[in-house]
């Protein structure tokens, strides 16, 4: 914890210094508390000579005032210390959370794909909160307890060394109990944290897929699954609590036995005249106060162990270095003037299981390339490589002939935009979603981008137009509407190279036509790479590359690939796309295929048609299926 969190603690040293001063002041006021009562007993109530003092009334008033002053001062010191510790804790937690979140943003996609969102959320929230408590309140409280014990031991040694010796002998017994319990507490806490992460992940997973859950009538099943995970989490937490409670009980019993024995010994020494009643009062008061800090300190290892488990989870993220970083000497990417390309590129998510093997392709400036192939062929991996979300294992990905690894990440992302298959929208206004990639964009630029992406018309029908607050993930919009907003976002961003990853997957025929028309307008004067298995989209490209099992198996335009009667032609037949739908690839032909008026009656070549002439959305009415 010290090694990981020292950078967050150093800037707060003035606050820790103040907390230390207040801890010392609290120790002093705590030690002074019983002394007015000692003098009350020895000088007023039970004087040593057996007679009454002439000034007993005055001494009584002074002692009461002293007791009041000490109590008020102790409360004030405690109040100030509590506030200072809270402020320190929040500042430390804010710094850790911010850096933790920033690191998660920079970690590679394969890390996020391997760790559930609920688990990561737990690290940012509950794990940070637990560590914050240890780094602030627990540390300062432990310092106060240690100072209190030292002060009490010194005073008691002066009063009666024999009683003090009996008190000190209890400490090794407490140490034995602590050492015996620490390992059990750590194991129980580690298991509880793993189960807690599984519970959060299950909740997040089910809530994200709520539409699917409801559509399949799986509400009860999901509730039962969550209840089962919740019960498992409850049992793990209760196991931790039982282990901690057993430890606390053992400490409390030991303290109770020691207290009883020491009070009996102290009373015996008063009877023998070795101590005054006031001395015994000091001793018993310190005895109760002594075992309080002792118990707290004896439980400190258990608290540190629990927090240490969480701190290690946080430290693992903070120690993890991003795979994709700016190399030394990286330069900003210039505005593309030639194009992008892959040369001899191979890639594997798992060593020994390549996804791409020796892929070569070029995307000339201002042209459109379609990358097609069955699911699992490696198409989306090419999109990630072109955007430098991944680096190739072998070969190079270039922009104007320069390896992307020799260019700064920010400049690559500025010039190469990505529209994902699942259009990601935030719980924000339509305008904020469109301008997400360039928040400083003016309203005029946002509206113009929406018009280019064929989204302006439906946006105007929303309750507050561009100021309409969208539901989480854009759930209140159709798939085609979400995709067109994502295209508008790409337009506002202004990236000269645009990567479209399965832009029409899951859309009905009308939505597909609308999105394809928007893609045509967005792609004008842009270099575009379209990753797709939809032939209605692929046939509009200037050039088509066909992938199968990570290898380029075919290249050419629509007519050439149809004539080759290979993988591409087979995919066209499955989707009822044939030569009649793709006669030519000039700009005029693409305008025919991509009707700018998706709601109007389509040209016969507007959409793929079934064998019986009925309009389809890529699915046949005769039982044929899309390639999986």
């Amino acid at each position: 914890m010290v090694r990981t969190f020292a950078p967050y603690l150093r800037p707060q040293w003035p606050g820790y210094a103040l907390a230390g001063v207040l801890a010392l002041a609290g120790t002093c006021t705590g030690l002074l508390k019983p002394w007015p009562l000692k003098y009350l007993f020895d000088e007023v109530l039970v004087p040593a000579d057996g007679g009454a003092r002439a000034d007993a009334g005055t001494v009584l008033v002074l002692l009461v005032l002293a007791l009041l002053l000490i109590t008020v001062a102790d409360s004030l010191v405690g109040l100030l210390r509590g506030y200072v510790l809270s402020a320190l804790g929040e500042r430390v937690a804010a710094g850790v959370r911010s850096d933790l979140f920033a690191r998660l943003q920079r970690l590679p996609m394969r890390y996020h794909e391997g760790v559930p969102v609920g688990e990561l959320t737990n690290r940012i929230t509950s794990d940070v909160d637990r560590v914050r408590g240890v780094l602030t309140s627990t540390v300062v409280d432990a310092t106060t307890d240690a100072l209190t014990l030292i002060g009490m031991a010194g005073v008691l040694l002066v009063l009666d060394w024999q009683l003090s010796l009996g008190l000190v002998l209890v400490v090794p017994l407490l140490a034995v109990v602590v050492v015996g319990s620490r390992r059990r507490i750590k194991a129980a806490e580690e298991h509880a944290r793993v189960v807690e992460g599984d519970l959060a992940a299950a909740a997040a997973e089910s809530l994200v897929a709520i539409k699917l859950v409801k559509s399949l009538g799986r509400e009860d099943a999901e509730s039962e699954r969550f209840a089962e995970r919740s019960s498992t989490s409850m049992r793990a937490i209760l196991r931790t609590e039982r282990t901690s409670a057993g430890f606390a009980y053992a400490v409390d019993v030991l303290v109770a036995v020691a207290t009883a024995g020491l009070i009996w010994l102290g009373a015996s020494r008063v009877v023998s005249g070795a101590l005054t009643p006031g001395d015994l009062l000091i001793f018993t008061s310190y005895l109760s106060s002594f075992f309080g800090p002792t118990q707290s300190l004896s439980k400190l290892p258990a608290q540190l162990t629990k927090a240490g488990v969480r701190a290690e989870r946080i430290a693992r993220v903070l120690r993890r270095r991003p795979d994709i970083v700016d190399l030394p000497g990286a330069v900003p990417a210039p505005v593309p003037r030639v194009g992008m390309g892959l040369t001899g590129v191979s890639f594997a998510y798992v060593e020994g299981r390549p996804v791409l093997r020796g892929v070569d392709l070029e995307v000339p400036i201002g042209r459109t390339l379609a990358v097609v192939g069955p699911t699992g062929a490696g198409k989306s991996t090419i999109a990630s490589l072109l955007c430098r979300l991944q680096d190739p294992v072998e070969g190079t990905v270039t922009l104007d002939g320069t390896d992307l690894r020799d260019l700064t990440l920010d400049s690559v992302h500025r010039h190469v935009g990505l529209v994902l298959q699942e259009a990601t929208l935030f719980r924000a206004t339509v305008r904020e979603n469109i301008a997400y990639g360039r928040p400083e964009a003016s309203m005029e630029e946002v509206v113009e981008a929406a018009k280019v992406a064929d989204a302006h018309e439906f946006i105007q029908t929303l309750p507050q137009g561009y100021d309409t607050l969208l539901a989480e993930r854009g759930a209140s919009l159709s798939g085609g509407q979400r995709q067109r907003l994502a295209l508008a976002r790409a337009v506002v961003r202004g990236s000269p190279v645009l990567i479209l990853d399965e832009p029409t997957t899951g859309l009905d025929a009308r939505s597909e036509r609308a999105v394809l028309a928007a893609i045509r307008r967005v792609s004008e004067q842009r270099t575009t790479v379209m990753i797709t298995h939809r032939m209605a989209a692929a046939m509009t490209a200037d050039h088509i590359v066909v992938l199968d099992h990570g290898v380029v198996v075919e290249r050419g335009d629509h007519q050439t690939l149809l004539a080759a009667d290979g993988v591409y032609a087979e995919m066209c037949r499955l989707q009822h796309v044939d030569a009649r739908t793709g006669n030519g690839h000039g700009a005029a032909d693409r305008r025919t295929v991509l009707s700018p008026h998706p709601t109007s009656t389509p040209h016969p070549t507007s959409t793929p048609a079934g064998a019986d002439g009925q309009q389809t959305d890529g699915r046949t009415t005769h039982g044929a299926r899309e390639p999986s």
Side-chain angles (χ1 to χ4, degrees), residues 342-348 354-359 381 385 391-396 550:
L342 275 69
T343 304
V345 166
S346 297
F347 183 83
V355 177
L356 297 176
R357 292 176 289 174
V359 173
T381 301
L385 291 169
D391 280 337
V393 175
E394 295 178 3
T396 58

Side-chain angles (χ1 to χ4, degrees), residues 98-153:
S98 297
D99 284 358
L100 185 60
F101 186 80
R103 179 54 54 86
L104 288 172
Q105 296 288 309
R106 294 289 184 181
L107 291 181
M109 288 303 302
R110 68 169 177 267
Y111 177 86
H112 290 276
E113 291 163 357
V115 183
V117 174
E119 169 73 10
L120 297 179
T121 303
N122 263 349
R123 296 189 190 187
I124 295 172
T125 54
S126 62
D127 286 356
V128 171
D129 285 339
R130 179 63 65 90
V131 174
R132 174 198 62 182
V134 169
L135 292 175
T136 54
S137 300
T138 302
V139 170
V140 175
D141 288 344
T143 302
T144 303
D145 291 338
L147 292 174
T148 300
L149 290 179
I150 293 171
M152 287 181 179

Side-chain angles (χ1 to χ4, degrees), residues 124-462:
I124 295 172
T125 54
S126 62
D127 286 356
V128 171
D129 285 339
R130 179 63 65 90
V131 174
R132 174 198 62 182
V134 169
L135 292 175
T136 54
S137 300
T138 302
V139 170
V140 175
D141 288 344
T143 302
T144 303
D145 291 338
L147 292 174
T148 300
L149 290 179
I150 293 171
M152 287 181 179
V155 173
L156 292 177
L157 190 61
V158 173
L159 285 177
D160 191 294
W161 69 269
Q162 293 177 336
L163 281 176
S164 300
L165 181 60
L167 195 59
V168 170
L169 291 177
V170 178
V171 175
L173 298 178
L174 285 173
V176 172
V177 175
V178 169
V179 172
S181 302
R182 181 178 179 181
R183 184 175 298 176
R184 293 195 300 272
I185 293 173
K186 181 178 181 179
E189 181 70 16
E190 287 177 341
H191 177 65
R193 295 291 69 78
V194 171
V195 173
E196 184 182 9
D198 290 342
L199 176 65
E205 185 178 58
S206 182
L207 292 175
V208 166
I210 188 64
K211 183 181 290 187
L212 175 65
V213 172
K214 295 179 76 66
S215 68
L216 297 178
R218 297 286 294 172
E219 295 95 335
D220 292 341
E222 287 298 314
S223 297
E224 290 175 5
R225 184 168 77 102
F226 182 80
E228 182 180 346
R229 296 279 184 92
S230 181
S231 297
T232 303
S233 177
M234 177 191 69
R235 288 192 294 270
I237 292 173
L238 290 179
R239 177 188 171 193
T240 302
E241 293 302 320
R242 283 196 302 271
T243 305
S244 298
F247 167 65
Y249 177 73
V251 171
D252 290 341
V253 169
L254 179 60
V255 168
V257 172
T259 301
L262 290 171
I263 289 178
W264 174 82
L265 179 60
S268 299
R269 292 185 63 75
V270 171
V271 171
S272 66
L275 292 176
T276 67
D279 292 337
L280 181 60
L281 182 64
I282 289 284
F283 180 80
T284 54
S285 176
Y286 278 7
L287 188 62
S288 60
S289 299
F290 184 91
F291 282 125
T294 303
Q295 285 176 288
S296 297
L297 289 174
S298 65
K299 296 171 185 177
L300 181 62
Q303 294 174 322
L304 293 176
T305 299
K306 289 182 178 181
V309 172
R310 296 177 182 250
E312 176 58 27
R313 286 153 52 93
I314 296 171
R316 280 199 296 267
V317 177
L318 294 175
R319 287 196 301 262
R320 177 72 181 263
R321 298 300 173 190
D323 294 347
I324 312 298
V325 296
D326 286 339
L327 297 180
V331 298
V335 176
R337 298 189 181 278
V338 178
M340 298 193 71
L342 275 69
T343 304
V345 166
S346 297
F347 183 83
Y349 292 99
V350 179
E351 188 175 354
R353 299 174 61 183
V355 177
L356 297 176
R357 292 176 289 174
V359 173
D360 295 311
L361 58 85
E362 292 183 1
V363 193
I365 199 75
R367 306 300 293 274
T368 298
L369 171 73
V371 180
V372 304
T375 300
K379 303 187 301 296
S380 293
T381 301
I382 287 181
S384 295
L385 291 169
L386 289 170
C387 297
R388 211 191 163 202
L389 299 179
Q390 307 279 4
D391 280 337
V393 175
E394 295 178 3
T396 58
V397 182
T398 59
L399 179 66
D400 281 2
T402 302
D403 193 325
L404 293 188
R405 288 169 289 200
D406 295 327
L407 303 173
T408 61
L409 272 173
D410 286 344
S411 65
V412 171
H413 294 162
R414 185 167 58 252
H415 292 316
V416 183
L418 174 65
V419 177
L420 297 168
Q421 173 181 349
E422 181 69 26
T424 303
L425 299 176
F426 299 94
R427 185 172 175 79
T429 66
V430 172
R431 176 182 178 178
E432 289 169 334
N433 271 284
I434 293 177
Y436 180 74
R438 191 162 68 89
E440 70 278 8
S442 66
M443 186 64 192
E444 289 75 16
E445 290 175 308
V446 170
V447 172
E448 182 60 30
K451 289 179 179 178
V452 172
D454 196 23
H456 179 68
E457 186 175 345
F458 85 77
I459 291 173
Q460 288 185 312
T461 66
L462 297 176

